[in-house]
Amino acid sequence: MKLRLGMIGGGQGAFIGAVHRMAAALDGLYALTAGAFSSNPDTSRATGQELGLAPERVYGSYQELIAQEAQRPADERVQVISIVTPNHLHFAPAKLALESGFDVVLDKPMTFSLEEAKELQQVVEATGRRLCLTHTYTGYPMLKEARQLAASGALGTIRKVYVEYPQGWLSNFEEGGSNKQAAWRTDPARSGVAGSMGDIGTHAFNLLEYVSGLQVTQLCADINTVVPGRQLDDDGAVLLRLTGGASGVLVATQVAAGEENNLRLRIYGEKGGLDWQQADANTLLVKWLDRPTEIRRTGAGYLSAAARHNSRIPAGHPEGYLEAFANLYRNFALTLLAEQTGQPAPPEALDFPGIEDGVRGMAFIENVIASGRSAQKWTDFPAIESLEQRP
Protein backbone atom coordinates (compact mmCIF):
# COMPACT_ATOMS: atom_id res chain seq x y z
CA MET A 1 0.00 0.00 0.00
CA LYS A 2 1.34 3.43 -0.96
CA LEU A 3 0.53 6.77 0.59
CA ARG A 4 -0.58 9.39 -1.90
CA LEU A 5 1.84 12.32 -1.70
CA GLY A 6 1.36 15.96 -2.67
CA MET A 7 4.20 18.46 -2.86
CA ILE A 8 4.32 22.22 -2.33
CA GLY A 9 7.45 23.80 -3.83
CA GLY A 10 10.31 21.90 -5.43
CA GLY A 11 9.76 23.11 -9.00
CA GLN A 12 12.26 23.34 -11.82
CA GLY A 13 15.66 24.53 -10.64
CA ALA A 14 14.99 23.77 -6.97
CA PHE A 15 17.59 21.59 -5.21
CA ILE A 16 15.79 20.17 -2.19
CA GLY A 17 12.53 19.28 -3.96
CA ALA A 18 14.26 16.65 -6.08
CA VAL A 19 15.96 15.25 -2.97
CA HIS A 20 12.59 14.92 -1.22
CA ARG A 21 11.12 13.13 -4.24
CA MET A 22 14.01 10.66 -4.42
CA ALA A 23 13.81 10.03 -0.68
CA ALA A 24 10.05 9.45 -0.79
CA ALA A 25 10.38 7.07 -3.74
CA LEU A 26 13.23 4.93 -2.42
CA ASP A 27 11.18 2.43 -0.39
CA GLY A 28 8.07 2.43 -2.56
CA LEU A 29 5.82 3.68 0.25
CA TYR A 30 4.64 6.88 -1.48
CA ALA A 31 3.15 7.74 -4.84
CA LEU A 32 3.62 11.37 -5.90
CA THR A 33 0.09 12.25 -7.00
CA ALA A 34 -0.29 16.03 -6.96
CA GLY A 35 1.68 19.21 -6.58
CA ALA A 36 1.86 22.98 -6.51
CA PHE A 37 5.53 23.15 -7.41
CA SER A 38 5.96 26.89 -7.82
CA SER A 39 4.27 30.22 -7.16
CA ASN A 40 4.48 30.60 -10.94
CA PRO A 41 1.62 28.46 -12.36
CA ASP A 42 3.49 27.92 -15.64
CA THR A 43 6.53 26.56 -13.79
CA SER A 44 4.28 24.37 -11.66
CA ARG A 45 2.58 22.91 -14.75
CA ALA A 46 5.91 22.32 -16.49
CA THR A 47 7.27 20.53 -13.42
CA GLY A 48 4.16 18.37 -13.14
CA GLN A 49 4.49 17.42 -16.80
CA GLU A 50 8.15 16.45 -16.31
CA LEU A 51 7.13 14.26 -13.37
CA GLY A 52 4.32 12.58 -15.32
CA LEU A 53 1.47 13.80 -13.15
CA ALA A 54 -2.09 14.12 -14.39
CA PRO A 55 -2.60 17.77 -15.46
CA GLU A 56 -5.68 18.17 -13.25
CA ARG A 57 -3.57 17.28 -10.19
CA VAL A 58 -1.02 20.05 -10.82
CA TYR A 59 -2.03 23.31 -9.18
CA GLY A 60 -1.06 26.97 -9.42
CA SER A 61 -0.92 27.63 -5.67
CA TYR A 62 -0.76 25.72 -2.40
CA GLN A 63 -4.21 27.05 -1.45
CA GLU A 64 -5.65 25.56 -4.64
CA LEU A 65 -3.93 22.23 -4.04
CA ILE A 66 -5.15 21.85 -0.47
CA ALA A 67 -8.70 23.02 -1.22
CA GLN A 68 -9.22 20.84 -4.28
CA GLU A 69 -7.51 17.75 -2.90
CA ALA A 70 -9.62 17.97 0.28
CA GLN A 71 -12.76 17.83 -1.90
CA ARG A 72 -11.73 14.62 -3.67
CA PRO A 73 -13.02 11.23 -2.48
CA ALA A 74 -11.08 9.76 0.41
CA ASP A 75 -9.59 7.02 -1.77
CA GLU A 76 -8.26 9.55 -4.31
CA ARG A 77 -7.06 12.60 -2.40
CA VAL A 78 -3.47 12.96 -1.27
CA GLN A 79 -2.80 11.80 2.27
CA VAL A 80 0.54 13.46 2.98
CA ILE A 81 1.70 16.90 1.85
CA SER A 82 5.44 17.60 1.60
CA ILE A 83 6.40 21.28 1.90
CA VAL A 84 9.80 22.12 0.40
CA THR A 85 9.61 25.91 0.06
CA PRO A 86 11.92 28.62 1.52
CA ASN A 87 11.52 29.29 5.24
CA HIS A 88 9.01 32.15 4.99
CA LEU A 89 6.60 29.86 3.14
CA HIS A 90 6.57 27.00 5.67
CA PHE A 91 4.01 28.04 8.26
CA ALA A 92 0.96 29.04 6.23
CA PRO A 93 0.78 25.95 3.97
CA ALA A 94 1.64 23.61 6.87
CA LYS A 95 -1.11 25.10 9.05
CA LEU A 96 -3.66 24.94 6.25
CA ALA A 97 -2.73 21.37 5.33
CA LEU A 98 -2.98 20.13 8.92
CA GLU A 99 -6.31 21.89 9.47
CA SER A 100 -7.61 20.37 6.21
CA GLY A 101 -6.90 16.82 7.41
CA PHE A 102 -3.50 16.10 5.83
CA ASP A 103 -0.34 14.84 7.49
CA VAL A 104 2.72 16.95 6.69
CA VAL A 105 6.39 16.51 5.87
CA LEU A 106 8.12 19.87 6.35
CA ASP A 107 11.62 21.06 5.52
CA LYS A 108 13.70 22.68 8.26
CA PRO A 109 13.88 25.11 9.97
CA MET A 110 10.22 24.51 10.70
CA THR A 111 8.97 28.09 10.46
CA PHE A 112 10.06 31.70 9.99
CA SER A 113 9.86 32.52 13.71
CA LEU A 114 9.48 30.91 17.13
CA GLU A 115 6.02 32.46 17.44
CA GLU A 116 4.92 30.63 14.28
CA ALA A 117 6.48 27.40 15.54
CA LYS A 118 4.53 27.53 18.81
CA GLU A 119 1.31 28.21 16.91
CA LEU A 120 1.99 25.27 14.59
CA GLN A 121 2.53 23.06 17.63
CA GLN A 122 -0.95 24.06 18.84
CA VAL A 123 -2.38 23.18 15.41
CA VAL A 124 -0.78 19.72 15.55
CA GLU A 125 -2.21 19.15 19.02
CA ALA A 126 -5.67 20.39 18.01
CA THR A 127 -5.92 18.42 14.76
CA GLY A 128 -4.24 15.21 15.86
CA ARG A 129 -2.35 15.09 12.57
CA ARG A 130 1.28 13.99 12.23
CA LEU A 131 4.20 16.20 11.21
CA CYS A 132 7.66 15.01 10.16
CA LEU A 133 10.49 17.57 10.09
CA THR A 134 13.34 16.71 7.74
CA HIS A 135 16.41 16.92 9.93
CA THR A 136 18.15 14.57 7.53
CA TYR A 137 21.16 13.56 9.56
CA THR A 138 19.14 11.83 12.27
CA GLY A 139 18.37 9.21 9.61
CA TYR A 140 21.93 7.86 9.38
CA PRO A 141 22.18 4.31 10.79
CA MET A 142 25.37 4.99 12.72
CA LEU A 143 23.81 8.00 14.42
CA LYS A 144 20.95 5.73 15.48
CA GLU A 145 23.65 3.45 16.91
CA ALA A 146 25.33 6.39 18.65
CA ARG A 147 22.04 7.45 20.18
CA GLN A 148 21.37 3.96 21.51
CA LEU A 149 24.85 3.80 23.03
CA ALA A 150 24.44 7.16 24.75
CA ALA A 151 21.01 6.16 26.08
CA SER A 152 22.24 2.77 27.33
CA GLY A 153 24.58 4.34 29.86
CA ALA A 154 27.61 2.59 28.35
CA LEU A 155 29.49 5.89 28.17
CA GLY A 156 28.57 6.84 31.73
CA THR A 157 27.34 10.33 32.47
CA ILE A 158 27.75 12.57 29.41
CA ARG A 159 30.22 15.37 30.12
CA LYS A 160 31.12 17.04 26.82
CA VAL A 161 29.57 17.38 23.36
CA TYR A 162 31.15 18.90 20.24
CA VAL A 163 29.26 19.40 17.00
CA GLU A 164 30.60 21.22 13.98
CA TYR A 165 29.18 21.91 10.53
CA PRO A 166 31.65 23.65 8.18
CA GLN A 167 30.73 24.69 4.63
CA GLY A 168 32.59 26.91 2.20
CA TRP A 169 30.05 27.64 -0.52
CA LEU A 170 29.25 31.16 0.74
CA SER A 171 32.87 32.30 1.05
CA ASN A 172 32.12 34.88 -1.65
CA PHE A 173 29.10 37.16 -2.19
CA GLU A 174 27.15 34.51 -4.13
CA GLU A 175 23.77 36.16 -3.55
CA GLY A 176 24.77 39.01 -5.85
CA GLY A 177 24.51 36.82 -8.95
CA SER A 178 22.27 34.05 -10.28
CA ASN A 179 22.64 31.63 -7.37
CA LYS A 180 19.04 31.22 -6.22
CA GLN A 181 19.98 29.12 -3.20
CA ALA A 182 22.35 31.80 -1.94
CA ALA A 183 19.83 34.54 -2.69
CA TRP A 184 17.02 33.28 -0.48
CA ARG A 185 19.17 31.75 2.27
CA THR A 186 20.89 35.11 2.91
CA ASP A 187 17.72 37.20 2.63
CA PRO A 188 16.15 38.06 6.01
CA ALA A 189 12.74 38.46 4.35
CA ARG A 190 12.80 34.82 3.26
CA SER A 191 15.24 33.09 5.60
CA GLY A 192 14.41 34.79 8.90
CA VAL A 193 16.69 36.32 11.54
CA ALA A 194 19.53 33.85 10.96
CA GLY A 195 21.70 32.81 8.04
CA SER A 196 24.19 30.00 8.70
CA MET A 197 22.78 29.36 12.18
CA GLY A 198 19.31 28.86 10.71
CA ASP A 199 20.44 26.91 7.66
CA ILE A 200 23.00 24.50 9.12
CA GLY A 201 23.28 25.49 12.79
CA THR A 202 19.81 24.07 13.43
CA HIS A 203 20.94 20.73 11.98
CA ALA A 204 23.92 20.70 14.34
CA PHE A 205 21.76 21.65 17.32
CA ASN A 206 19.15 19.01 16.52
CA LEU A 207 21.79 16.32 16.09
CA LEU A 208 23.48 17.20 19.38
CA GLU A 209 20.24 16.87 21.35
CA TYR A 210 19.00 13.83 19.41
CA VAL A 211 22.10 11.68 19.91
CA SER A 212 23.13 12.80 23.39
CA GLY A 213 19.60 12.65 24.82
CA LEU A 214 20.32 15.93 26.60
CA GLN A 215 18.73 19.34 26.14
CA VAL A 216 20.39 22.74 25.94
CA THR A 217 19.55 24.92 28.95
CA GLN A 218 21.82 27.93 28.31
CA LEU A 219 23.93 29.22 25.45
CA CYS A 220 26.54 31.87 24.73
CA ALA A 221 27.01 32.78 21.07
CA ASP A 222 29.58 34.58 18.95
CA ILE A 223 27.85 35.36 15.65
CA ASN A 224 29.67 36.86 12.65
CA THR A 225 28.94 38.16 9.18
CA VAL A 226 32.25 37.76 7.37
CA VAL A 227 31.49 38.51 3.72
CA PRO A 228 31.01 42.26 3.05
CA GLY A 229 27.47 43.21 2.01
CA ARG A 230 25.83 40.09 3.42
CA GLN A 231 22.70 40.72 5.48
CA LEU A 232 22.73 37.63 7.71
CA ASP A 233 25.32 35.67 9.68
CA ASP A 234 27.59 33.33 7.76
CA ASP A 235 29.73 32.12 10.69
CA GLY A 236 29.33 31.43 14.37
CA ALA A 237 30.29 29.45 17.45
CA VAL A 238 28.16 28.69 20.50
CA LEU A 239 29.04 27.53 24.01
CA LEU A 240 26.32 25.32 25.47
CA ARG A 241 25.20 24.18 28.90
CA LEU A 242 23.04 21.05 28.90
CA THR A 243 20.88 19.05 31.26
CA GLY A 244 22.80 16.73 33.56
CA GLY A 245 25.70 19.14 33.92
CA ALA A 246 27.27 18.54 30.49
CA SER A 247 28.71 21.33 28.39
CA GLY A 248 29.18 21.63 24.65
CA VAL A 249 30.48 23.60 21.69
CA LEU A 250 28.61 24.14 18.41
CA VAL A 251 30.27 25.60 15.32
CA ALA A 252 28.41 26.43 12.09
CA THR A 253 30.11 28.30 9.28
CA GLN A 254 29.54 28.73 5.56
CA VAL A 255 32.78 30.63 4.90
CA ALA A 256 35.26 27.78 5.54
CA ALA A 257 36.74 27.82 2.03
CA GLY A 258 37.22 24.34 0.60
CA GLU A 259 34.85 22.60 3.01
CA GLU A 260 31.80 20.77 1.67
CA ASN A 261 29.41 19.26 4.24
CA ASN A 262 31.57 17.43 6.76
CA LEU A 263 29.21 17.52 9.70
CA ARG A 264 30.91 15.99 12.75
CA LEU A 265 29.63 14.99 16.20
CA ARG A 266 31.67 13.94 19.23
CA ILE A 267 30.20 12.95 22.60
CA TYR A 268 32.26 12.14 25.70
CA GLY A 269 31.13 10.49 28.93
CA GLU A 270 32.87 9.21 32.03
CA LYS A 271 33.79 5.87 30.44
CA GLY A 272 34.12 6.59 26.75
CA GLY A 273 33.21 8.67 23.74
CA LEU A 274 31.63 8.62 20.28
CA ASP A 275 32.96 10.16 17.08
CA TRP A 276 31.00 10.34 13.80
CA GLN A 277 31.40 12.45 10.68
CA GLN A 278 29.43 12.60 7.47
CA ALA A 279 32.54 12.22 5.29
CA ASP A 280 32.67 8.61 6.55
CA ALA A 281 29.02 8.18 7.48
CA ASN A 282 29.13 4.38 7.65
CA THR A 283 31.66 4.42 10.51
CA LEU A 284 31.13 5.17 14.20
CA LEU A 285 34.20 5.29 16.44
CA VAL A 286 33.53 4.21 20.02
CA LYS A 287 36.44 5.31 22.19
CA TRP A 288 36.95 3.77 25.62
CA LEU A 289 38.88 5.07 28.60
CA ASP A 290 40.40 1.68 29.46
CA ARG A 291 40.47 -0.35 26.22
CA PRO A 292 41.07 0.02 22.49
CA THR A 293 38.78 2.03 20.25
CA GLU A 294 35.97 0.13 18.47
CA ILE A 295 35.05 0.71 14.84
CA ARG A 296 31.36 0.02 14.24
CA ARG A 297 30.09 -0.17 10.67
CA THR A 298 26.73 0.17 8.95
CA GLY A 299 25.09 -3.14 8.02
CA ALA A 300 26.79 -5.26 10.69
CA GLY A 301 24.73 -7.76 12.67
CA TYR A 302 26.05 -6.57 16.01
CA LEU A 303 24.36 -3.17 15.73
CA SER A 304 21.27 -2.08 17.65
CA ALA A 305 17.77 -2.71 16.33
CA ALA A 306 17.42 0.99 15.52
CA ALA A 307 20.57 0.99 13.39
CA ARG A 308 19.61 -2.23 11.61
CA HIS A 309 16.08 -0.96 10.91
CA ASN A 310 17.53 2.08 9.15
CA SER A 311 19.99 0.11 7.00
CA ARG A 312 19.06 -1.37 3.63
CA ILE A 313 22.09 -3.16 2.23
CA PRO A 314 24.85 -5.49 3.50
CA ALA A 315 27.94 -4.19 5.24
CA GLY A 316 30.59 -2.70 2.97
CA HIS A 317 28.12 -1.03 0.61
CA PRO A 318 27.97 2.70 1.34
CA GLU A 319 24.70 4.22 2.49
CA GLY A 320 24.61 8.00 2.41
CA TYR A 321 22.65 11.21 2.43
CA LEU A 322 19.74 10.09 0.21
CA GLU A 323 19.24 6.92 2.24
CA ALA A 324 19.31 8.89 5.50
CA PHE A 325 16.76 11.31 4.06
CA ALA A 326 14.66 8.36 2.89
CA ASN A 327 14.69 6.88 6.40
CA LEU A 328 12.67 9.86 7.63
CA TYR A 329 10.07 9.37 4.89
CA ARG A 330 10.04 5.61 5.47
CA ASN A 331 9.57 5.80 9.24
CA PHE A 332 6.87 8.45 8.82
CA ALA A 333 5.05 6.26 6.29
CA LEU A 334 5.28 3.15 8.48
CA THR A 335 3.82 5.13 11.39
CA LEU A 336 0.92 6.48 9.31
CA LEU A 337 0.18 3.10 7.72
CA ALA A 338 0.14 1.43 11.14
CA GLU A 339 -2.32 4.03 12.39
CA GLN A 340 -4.57 3.46 9.36
CA THR A 341 -4.77 -0.26 10.14
CA GLY A 342 -5.24 0.27 13.87
CA GLN A 343 -1.93 -1.41 14.66
CA PRO A 344 0.78 0.01 16.91
CA ALA A 345 3.74 1.28 14.94
CA PRO A 346 7.07 -0.43 15.70
CA PRO A 347 9.25 1.69 18.03
CA GLU A 348 11.89 2.13 15.33
CA ALA A 349 9.31 3.63 12.96
CA LEU A 350 8.30 6.29 15.49
CA ASP A 351 11.85 7.62 15.44
CA PHE A 352 11.60 10.67 13.18
CA PRO A 353 11.93 14.41 13.98
CA GLY A 354 8.62 16.07 14.78
CA ILE A 355 6.91 19.20 15.99
CA GLU A 356 8.82 19.44 19.27
CA ASP A 357 12.13 19.35 17.38
CA GLY A 358 10.87 22.16 15.20
CA VAL A 359 9.91 24.35 18.15
CA ARG A 360 13.26 23.78 19.85
CA GLY A 361 15.04 24.51 16.58
CA MET A 362 13.34 27.88 16.24
CA ALA A 363 14.05 28.63 19.90
CA PHE A 364 17.71 27.84 19.21
CA ILE A 365 17.80 30.27 16.27
CA GLU A 366 16.24 33.14 18.17
CA ASN A 367 18.32 32.55 21.33
CA VAL A 368 21.56 32.28 19.36
CA ILE A 369 20.95 35.56 17.53
CA ALA A 370 19.87 37.27 20.78
CA SER A 371 23.01 36.06 22.56
CA GLY A 372 25.19 37.10 19.62
CA ARG A 373 23.83 40.64 19.84
CA SER A 374 23.97 40.83 23.64
CA ALA A 375 26.84 42.08 25.79
CA GLN A 376 25.73 39.75 28.59
CA LYS A 377 26.07 36.71 26.29
CA TRP A 378 24.78 33.82 28.41
CA THR A 379 21.10 33.32 27.51
CA ASP A 380 18.65 30.96 29.21
CA PHE A 381 17.22 28.48 26.77
CA PRO A 382 13.49 27.82 27.34
CA ALA A 383 12.54 24.19 27.84
CA ILE A 384 9.97 22.88 25.36
CA GLU A 385 7.89 19.98 26.57
CA SER A 386 7.68 17.10 24.13
CA LEU A 387 4.30 16.02 22.75
CA GLU A 388 5.42 12.42 23.06
CA GLN A 389 8.46 10.52 24.19
CA ARG A 390 10.74 9.02 21.56
CA PRO A 391 11.53 5.31 21.79
Side-chain angles (χ1 to χ4, degrees), residues 48-327:
Q49 186 175 15
E50 282 184 359
L51 297 172
L53 298 185
E56 67 272 15
R57 306 295 288 274
V58 181
Y59 302 97
S61 69
Y62 75 82
Q63 296 95 332
E64 185 182 355
L65 182 152
I66 293 170
Q68 293 199 24
E69 288 295 321
Q71 292 175 4
R72 290 182 176 274
D75 60 350
E76 292 182 10
R77 71 172 72 108
V78 298
Q79 297 159 288
V80 181
I81 293 180
S82 180
I83 300 169
V84 298
T85 52
N87 303 352
H88 71 299
L89 293 174
H90 284 184
F91 172 74
K95 180 176 184 291
L96 184 59
L98 291 164
E99 290 175 340
S100 300
F102 300 105
D103 297 300
V104 169
V105 176
L106 184 58
D107 215 17
K108 50 57 52 192
M110 189 168 74
T111 53
F112 190 74
S113 68
L114 178 57
E115 183 180 2
E116 286 185 349
K118 290 179 177 179
E119 185 175 346
L120 198 61
Q121 184 178 35
Q122 293 174 352
V123 173
V124 168
E125 292 173 326
T127 61
R129 307 311 307 183
R130 290 273 189 176
L131 184 145
C132 173
L133 188 68
T134 54
H135 275 298
T136 315
Y137 308 105
T138 63
Y140 277 107
M142 299 317 294
L143 286 176
K144 304 290 188 188
E145 181 74 3
R147 182 168 182 262
Q148 294 298 315
L149 271 167
S152 73
L155 305 178
T157 300
I158 304 296
R159 292 172 167 173
K160 197 76 179 179
V161 182
Y162 297 91
V163 61
E164 56 190 76
Y165 199 154
Q167 292 180 339
W169 72 289
L170 288 177
S171 291
N172 296 316
F173 192 72
E174 299 293 338
E175 57 266 43
S178 60
N179 191 325
K180 293 182 179 180
Q181 293 296 317
W184 80 258
R185 292 177 194 275
T186 58
D187 178 4
R190 290 181 284 176
S191 183
V193 296
S196 63
M197 279 296 163
D199 192 18
I200 59 176
T202 48
H203 274 311
F205 166 79
N206 176 263
L207 195 63
L208 177 152
E209 290 201 333
Y210 174 77
V211 177
S212 72
L214 306 177
Q215 289 191 329
V216 173
T217 59
Q218 289 182 306
L219 55 80
C220 174
D222 177 36
I223 304 299
N224 306 302
T225 303
V226 175
V227 175
R230 182 158 290 155
Q231 298 184 72
L232 294 173
D233 61 285
D234 50 22
D235 171 75
V238 190
L239 299 176
L240 305 167
R241 292 172 180 164
L242 300 102
T243 51
S247 63
V249 181
L250 182 154
V251 176
T253 182
Q254 294 176 311
V255 294
E259 290 290 352
E260 296 176 334
N261 281 279
N262 193 20
L263 176 63
R264 185 181 185 186
L265 176 70
R266 289 170 288 166
I267 297 177
Y268 298 100
E270 298 170 280
K271 303 174 184 178
L274 305 171
D275 190 347
W276 177 91
Q277 53 187 320
Q278 188 173 222
D280 186 12
N282 289 348
T283 298
L284 174 67
L285 298 181
V286 186
K287 302 177 179 182
W288 299 108
L289 181 65
D290 56 358
R291 58 186 188 272
T293 295
E294 296 176 14
I295 301 175
R296 300 195 184 191
R297 295 278 293 166
T298 299
Y302 54 73
L303 297 177
S304 64
R308 295 196 307 271
H309 170 80
N310 288 278
S311 302
R312 293 175 175 78
I313 49 181
H317 300 283
E319 295 192 53
Y321 177 80
L322 290 177
E323 290 86 351
F325 212 118
N327 282 337

